[in-house]
Amino acid sequence: MSLLRILVLHGPNLNLLGSREPGHYGTTSLADINQALIELGDRLGAEIITFQSNHEGELVDKIQQASLARSELGHIDGIIMNPAAYTHTSIALRDAVLAGGKPFIEVHLSNIHQREQFRHRSMLADTAVGVIAGFGACSYELALRGLIHHLKNTGG
Ligand code: DQA
């Protein structure tokens, strides 16, 4: 199978990882999370493209680009996304992943079900291949393994 190409999207405030509420999100920086994903992707046969934004529309734009045959992103096989606070509010992100049709995994560092009630609801989870939450930075690595497994078993 040719190299898979996976887009990893990080939502608002995740640029602050490392210093932001370490009790919930740990001390690993976003740069270190991305680097670990790139290295794991190398071992598993996937190219990783990462993007973080604090703006809902920019995340929508990336999801749309990922579904186009020709875009500046190039071909994308699947998406890993931590929509952060937009998880709980964003019909726009939900509609974007539904319209794009690319398999995606929802990721959270914290176990959102152990936290405030408003974090228990996800606008996206039922459209995802799977959801991983509660393993800190390791959630992303589990998501990458899960998405690659899914893509190899379904042919993408
Ligand atoms: C988060 C959980 C969200 O509720 C929160 O708004 C975040 C991060 C997580 O990774 O645990 O920003 O998605």
Side-chain angles (χ1 to χ4, degrees):
M1 191 183 210
S2 60
L3 198 66
L4 295 170
R5 297 187 80 243
I6 294 174
L7 177 64
V8 180
L9 295 176
H10 306 282
N13 299 305
L14 295 175
N15 54 315
L16 302 177
L17 286 180
S19 58
R20 174 190 179 203
E21 297 185 84
H24 284 306
Y25 304 122
T27 53
T28 309
S29 70
L30 189 62
D32 286 346
I33 288 173
N34 286 337
Q35 187 55 35
L37 287 174
I38 289 165
E39 286 169 18
L40 183 60
D42 271 351
R43 296 206 296 278
L44 300 180
E47 183 183 346
I48 308 299
I49 299 102
T50 65
F51 179 76
Q52 188 275 331
S53 179
N54 294 325
H55 304 278
E56 190 175 23
E58 288 187 356
L59 296 165
V60 170
D61 286 344
K62 283 288 174 199
I63 295 166
Q64 288 188 7
Q65 284 172 20
S67 66
L68 297 174
R70 284 174 200 281
S71 81
E72 64 193 42
L73 272 180
H75 174 80
I76 295 292
D77 294 291
I79 299 172
I80 291 170
M81 175 162 55
N82 183 348
Y86 291 140
T87 307
H88 318 297
T89 61
S90 182
I91 297 169
L93 287 179
R94 177 189 177 85
D95 286 350
V97 293
L98 284 173
K102 293 289 173 185
F104 104 95
I105 308 243
E106 179 178 317
V107 173
H108 302 285
L109 297 126
S110 63
N111 181 348
I112 54 176
H113 301 287
Q114 283 176 344
R115 301 181 62 194
E116 304 96 318
Q117 193 72 34
F118 66 84
R119 293 186 204 275
H120 296 185
R121 186 181 68 158
S122 167
M123 302 303 286
L124 295 138
D126 64 303
T127 71
V129 173
V131 180
I132 296 175
F135 296 94
C138 187
S139 288
Y140 286 95
E141 296 188 27
L142 295 170
L144 181 56
R145 287 181 185 280
L147 182 56
I148 290 173
H149 176 83
H150 173 81
L151 292 169
K152 287 186 172 167
N153 282 282
T154 60

